[in-house]
Amino acid sequence: MTNPLHTAIEYLKGVGPSRGELLRKELNIHKYGDLMNLFPNRYIDRTRYYKINELQDTTAEVQIIGKIINIKTVEFGKNQKRLIASFIDETGQMELTWFQGVKWIRESLKLNEVYVIFGKVADYKSQYSMAHPEMELLEEHKASLRSAMQPVYPSTEKLTQRGITNRVVNKAMQQLFLEINGQFIETLPIYILEQLKLISKNDAMFNIHFPKSQELLAKAQFRLKFEELFFIQLQLITKNLIRKHKIKGHPFDKVGDNFTNFYNNHLPFELTNAQKRVLKEIRNDMGSNAQMNRLLQGDVGSGKTIVALMSMLLAKDNGFQSCLMAPTEILANQHFIGLSELAKNLNITIKILTGSTKTSERKIIHEALENGTLDILIGTHALLEDKVKFQNLGLAVIDEQHRFGVEQRSKLWKKNEIPPHILVMTATPIPRTLAMSLYGDLDISVIDELPPGRKPIQTVHRYDSNRLKVWKFLKDEIAKGRQIYIVYPLIQESEKMDYKDLMDGYESISRDFPLPQYSISIVHGKMKPAEKEAEMQRFVAGKTNIMVATTVIEVGVNVANASVMVIESAERFGLSQLHQLRGRVGRGAEQSYCILMTGFKLSVDSKTRLETMCKTNDGFEIAEVDLKIRGPGDILGTQQSGILNLQIADLVRDRDILILAREYAMKLLKDDAAMIKPEHKKMRELFIEMSAKKNIWNYIS
């Protein structure tokens, strides 16, 4: 028997081809099952009926039972009409008004019939009125499947304009439930339902759309949120287990001379406790027989590089080579300079390979890689080329992972018979709940302390009207020999506008900071890579005092002498972006500053972002606030958000349910990793289907 939930949406009574097309485009609803999983945003409590003499002038929506005794059309303005109806119950009289669809509404209204009206009431000239009320004849109202708690569904402007109102969606949902008639397959094992006292799938689906009471609604929401998060965790943990069982790693069981010599004699500073803890986790991973797959999180400047180097020294002690891949040439160069400096007293060879490495140099690198005399290779995507062959690659470090796709990571795996250990580093702090959901298949380490001697960056918010004072401050800093970044937002849709912003800004800065006393670099997306590189290098070498740029500098410029970051139109940036940008200063021992410039008009979210930036330098605290403001999908950029098309759970609000779901998923897989026990049969079928698809809800139904 075919599953009715796979039926195309236009076949549902009351939908048809044109509405079906709109629902496809606007809400991605293709089949019955998609509509079924369109969960309400909120609910309106319609358990109470008001009398006209009980009405108050509030923003609450109320429902009243009464009759229309009179209808008139009134002209106002130029060729505009409004419809006014007098509505009464046994306690008083009020007005109903319509400004649109006047002709059609007038024809459909019936005098002296009992209606239930619903909407917001306003007090107009000491008489209550309700504009564009929802109306239903009392008989229909009693007969409808609709519950007293009324669902409000997600919508778009276009749907409302084209007449697909909340009421239309509600009607379609009622029709759908009549057709499906409780044929939902139970997806969770009975013992989980019993242990957690969860309601059945049928009850949950019914009560999420037509809740009989607040209590049943809460039970339905809990059950469905748990289910969604549970299946995502099953997927992630299974991936991790399969990798650990199937994918053997190189056991690095020796801690040899390179590691101990560096640790005892050449450490530039005492490691923080966080760095020691992370190194221990990495050593345990690489010492086991399984392949390491670890995510290392740490704020800009927290000392991830030294952890990466020490992991590479372990590889060298065990007779293996390492590589480090970065998303840009600038960043790769920076790692090369940093690691070469740290390892200068050790007997190891480090080379760099990027798009601009000369052919003659490439040849030498390829040979040294293949004969094993090259220990560490640093580079960009160039490392992935087939020509790059290692004698025995044991460890691959990937910096700023979200810039690389999964395919690129897997190319690195193939650089050895047994895949190398993988260490992924990121300076984008990811809140724990999000990391559990996104990188559940990676083990996670966090460096949450800054090295001693770093001064926290001072962040202030200034309005455009204070620009003169800000410019004076910049001149004073330049006089002390410091350098400055001035960053403009870049938002793709309006590149022309952004480019204009940047060029206007550049011109006015050039007037305020004239040659020969000041010199300015400029970097933006329309420049060729070689031009960008040249401008960056001028700034790095100290030939220019000011770098005017769009956000291309967000990842990877390390100029210890740059002590001030000015961010123009700071309200147009997201929190994590602001935090990343700020991390470009404060690289030296001097006090550094970040100045957030905005106009006076700010939204509530913008104010929250700016206040958070001024209040804290802690990347994880910032990431938590960011998650609350933006939700998970946006934080990680487009490549990563696919798995998180959450339909009902919310990673911020439902953190506890996520932890519970992960616990249960782990317990189940520990006990029955292949899900072959009879009680897991249905779940296993679903799981196999889901694993091939992006959105789990098409299957959970």
Side-chain angles (χ1 to χ4, degrees):
M1 193 184 108
T2 57
N3 186 338
L5 290 169
H6 294 328
T7 312
I9 194 65
E10 52 268 29
Y11 293 109
L12 184 65
K13 189 180 163 193
V15 175
S18 66
R19 278 180 171 176
E21 187 55 30
L22 265 177
L23 288 170
R24 273 199 173 83
K25 277 190 183 147
E26 295 294 298
L27 294 175
N28 210 10
I29 291 174
H30 299 263
K31 304 181 185 137
Y32 281 19
D34 299 330
L35 180 62
M36 186 59 77
N37 296 319
L38 178 73
F39 298 120
N41 286 335
R42 60 192 177 90
Y43 298 82
I44 295 160
D45 190 349
R46 292 185 69 158
T47 44
R48 169 145 194 225
Y49 298 91
Y50 285 79
K51 299 286 181 212
I52 291 175
N53 67 356
E54 295 175 323
L55 297 178
Q56 302 278 331
D57 190 10
T58 69
T59 55
E61 292 169 289
V62 296
Q63 56 185 358
I64 308 159
I65 300 174
K67 296 175 183 171
I68 292 175
I69 51 166
N70 175 1
I71 305 169
K72 60 180 179 190
T73 309
V74 179
E75 293 209 5
F76 69 101
K78 212 174 178 185
N79 308 329
Q80 286 181 302
K81 289 182 179 166
R82 82 167 164 239
L83 188 64
I84 298 176
S86 303
F87 186 79
I88 61 161
D89 69 2
E90 64 275 25
T91 68
Q93 180 169 342
M94 64 184 290
E95 279 187 350
L96 309 181
T97 55
W98 292 267
F99 299 91
Q100 284 158 341
V102 170
K103 183 172 176 287
W104 176 77
I105 289 167
R106 175 151 203 165
E107 284 165 10
S108 65
L109 292 177
K110 298 175 178 167
L111 287 173
N112 296 313
E113 293 268 0
V114 183
Y115 277 106
V116 177
I117 64 165
F118 175 77
K120 283 185 186 161
V121 174
D123 187 358
Y124 181 66
K125 293 185 180 166
S126 72
Q127 183 179 25
Y128 283 110
S129 77
M130 191 184 279
H132 286 269
E134 271 186 39
M135 301 189 66
E136 215 172 4
L137 289 166
L138 183 62
E139 291 312 304
E140 278 178 24
H141 181 76
K142 283 180 181 163
S144 91
L145 224 185
R146 197 163 45 185
S147 60
M149 302 276 306
Q150 259 212 337
V152 179
Y153 290 98
S155 186
T156 66
E157 217 172 310
K158 199 166 193 180
L159 286 177
T160 321
Q161 280 168 359
R162 302 284 286 278
I164 301 184
T165 57
N166 195 56
R167 184 150 176 225
V168 170
V169 176
N170 215 310
K171 272 221 152 76
M173 202 64 85
Q174 292 183 40
Q175 183 58 35
L176 184 53
F177 268 82
L178 291 173
E179 287 188 28
I180 281 174
N181 192 18
Q183 296 175 42
F184 294 105
I185 297 157
E186 185 50 75
T187 51
L188 295 171
I190 302 297
Y191 68 88
I192 290 186
L193 296 180
E194 285 169 358
Q195 283 171 13
L196 290 173
K197 300 188 170 59
L198 299 177
I199 60 175
S200 73
K201 181 72 185 196
N202 267 325
D203 289 349
M205 289 309 279
F206 188 84
N207 281 289
I208 199 82
H209 292 292
F210 311 108
K212 291 272 193 286
S213 67
Q214 291 277 5
E215 191 190 353
L216 277 166
L217 171 62
K219 285 184 170 168
Q221 285 178 329
F222 187 89
R223 144 86 212 216
L224 295 170
K225 286 173 175 186
F226 176 84
E227 179 175 359
E228 179 167 50
L229 294 167
F230 176 75
F231 273 96
I232 286 177
Q233 291 304 321
L234 270 187
Q235 273 179 312
L236 290 165
I237 299 163
T238 306
K239 251 162 104 183
N240 199 350
L241 289 173
I242 289 172
R243 193 176 44 71
K244 283 183 174 160
H245 280 290
K246 278 195 180 164
I247 301 167
K248 292 285 165 262
H250 304 283
F252 291 2
D253 37 30
K254 213 164 93 195
V255 176
D257 298 345
N258 288 292
F259 186 91
T260 44
N261 175 21
F262 180 75
Y263 188 79
N264 295 329
N265 307 319
H266 302 297
L267 263 184
F269 45 76
E270 173 72 17
L271 293 182
T272 61
N273 288 331
Q275 285 171 312
K276 287 178 185 166
R277 183 187 68 237
V278 167
L279 264 172
K280 198 170 171 186
E281 290 166 350
I282 291 171
R283 272 173 56 175
N284 287 344
D285 278 3
M286 299 201 299
S288 76
N289 276 325
Q291 180 216 21
M292 171 171 85
N293 216 8
R294 193 166 274 284
L295 174 71
L296 173 57
Q297 285 182 259
D299 249 343
V300 174
S302 61
K304 296 186 293 292
T305 314
I306 208 155
V307 169
L309 173 66
M310 292 175 80
S311 309
M312 291 170 172
L313 294 177
L314 275 176
K316 162 81 172 157
D317 282 338
N318 286 274
F320 288 96
Q321 296 165 300
S322 304
C323 69
L324 189 159
M325 186 164 80
T328 62
E329 275 199 30
I330 296 162
L331 200 50
N333 270 312
Q334 224 166 277
H335 279 304
F336 177 62
I337 294 161
L339 290 175
S340 303
E341 176 59 30
L342 284 170
K344 63 175 184 262
N345 299 316
L346 303 175
N347 182 23
I348 61 170
T349 52
I350 305 180
K351 293 271 185 212
I352 181 165
L353 178 67
T354 66
S356 44
T357 307
K358 292 188 174 65
T359 317
S360 54
E361 181 64 16
R362 271 171 195 263
K363 215 172 147 206
I364 298 166
I365 290 174
H366 289 321
E367 274 172 24
L369 265 189
E370 288 183 53
N371 65 30
T373 53
L374 177 53
D375 302 309
I376 296 174
L377 179 61
I378 294 167
T380 51
H381 296 75
L383 297 185
L384 301 173
E385 290 168 9
D386 295 336
K387 295 194 290 282
V388 179
K389 292 190 175 69
F390 292 81
Q391 188 186 44
N392 54 354
L393 178 63
L395 169 67
V397 182
I398 302 171
D399 196 18
E400 288 305 334
Q401 123 83 23
H402 58 280
R403 304 280 173 126
F404 295 108
V406 181
E407 298 79 39
Q408 291 165 314
R409 260 198 334 210
S410 65
K411 271 190 178 171
L412 273 179
W413 280 36
K414 296 182 184 113
K415 297 280 181 185
N416 202 339
E417 295 290 299
I418 293 181
H421 294 295
I422 302 272
L423 180 65
V424 173
M425 303 199 297
T426 179
T428 309
I430 304 160
R432 183 164 167 261
T433 34
L434 196 52
M436 268 166 38
S437 300
L438 264 180
Y439 298 117
D441 57 330
L442 294 177
D443 300 303
I444 296 173
S445 291
V446 177
I447 302 183
D448 44 15
E449 289 174 74
L450 278 184
R454 281 278 173 100
K455 292 188 180 130
I457 300 161
Q458 282 187 18
T459 305
V460 294
H461 170 212
R462 294 287 179 262
Y463 291 107
D464 290 336
S465 51
N466 299 18
R467 193 170 291 279
L468 287 174
K469 277 188 183 162
V470 173
W471 269 196
K472 180 178 182 316
F473 174 72
L474 299 188
K475 287 177 176 168
D476 293 346
E477 284 295 296
I478 293 172
K480 292 181 198 165
R482 311 265 188 275
Q483 287 167 285
I484 287 159
Y485 296 109
I486 301 180
V487 181
Y488 285 84
L490 176 84
I491 299 168
Q492 268 105 17
E493 284 91 86
S494 54
E495 247 176 46
K496 293 187 186 88
M497 192 171 96
D498 298 316
Y499 183 64
K500 181 179 164 297
D501 280 359
L502 179 82
M503 293 329 267
D504 286 355
Y506 177 65
E507 278 169 24
S508 75
I509 292 162
S510 306
R511 281 197 299 276
D512 294 331
F513 295 85
L515 284 160
Q517 194 180 351
Y518 302 100
S519 132
I520 303 172
S521 285
I522 182 166
V523 177
H524 56 78
K526 294 203 166 158
M527 293 164 76
K528 293 191 176 76
E531 293 172 358
K532 272 191 215 174
E533 191 65 30
E535 281 290 284
M536 292 272 201
Q537 288 313 330
R538 283 177 63 210
F539 187 67
V540 172
K543 291 179 180 156
T544 56
N545 322 97
I546 299 177
M547 156 85 74
V548 177
T550 50
T551 47
V552 283
I553 63 159
E554 166 182 352
V555 168
V557 189
N558 189 356
V559 182
N561 192 39
S563 64
V564 185
M565 163 75 65
V566 178
I567 303 177
E568 293 284 358
S569 309
E571 73 276 15
R572 284 169 66 185
F573 289 92
L575 242 184
S576 60
Q577 232 184 344
L578 289 171
H579 180 62
Q580 284 269 346
L581 283 166
R582 169 168 67 183
R584 295 294 130 222
V585 293
R587 294 309 187 93
E590 304 307 329
Q591 177 61 59
S592 290
Y593 304 90
C594 174
I595 303 170
L596 307 170
M597 302 292 294
T598 72
F600 275 107
K601 269 192 177 161
L602 293 175
S603 68
V604 176
D605 281 355
S606 298
K607 281 186 182 144
T608 307
R609 286 199 290 267
L610 298 167
E611 278 163 18
T612 307
M613 284 292 292
C614 294
K615 191 179 78 190
T616 180
N617 276 301
D618 177 342
F620 288 92
E621 199 178 315
I622 285 169
E624 289 287 354
V625 177
D626 202 20
L627 185 56
K628 282 184 181 128
I629 295 177
R630 288 200 298 167
D634 302 335
I635 285 191
L636 293 130
T638 43
Q639 302 102 305
Q640 300 290 348
S641 53
I643 188 165
L644 282 179
N645 291 333
L646 292 176
Q647 301 273 324
I648 187 163
D650 174 310
L651 288 182
V652 184
R653 286 202 300 270
D654 303 323
R655 191 180 171 153
D656 296 345
I657 305 178
L658 169 64
I659 292 165
L660 186 71
R662 187 171 175 83
E663 220 172 90
Y664 268 83
M666 282 177 122
K667 218 157 48 184
L668 185 146
L669 290 169
K670 217 175 205 164
D671 175 46
D672 180 20
M675 297 184 237
I676 47 179
K677 290 188 172 176
E679 63 266 35
H680 298 150
K681 180 175 178 284
K682 190 68 234 167
M683 197 179 72
R684 176 187 161 86
E685 286 167 18
L686 271 170
F687 181 77
I688 291 167
E689 267 189 88
M690 268 167 45
S691 299
K693 296 285 175 191
K694 269 220 163 146
N695 188 348
I696 68 165
W697 278 101
N698 299 342
Y699 294 91
I700 293 186
S701 308

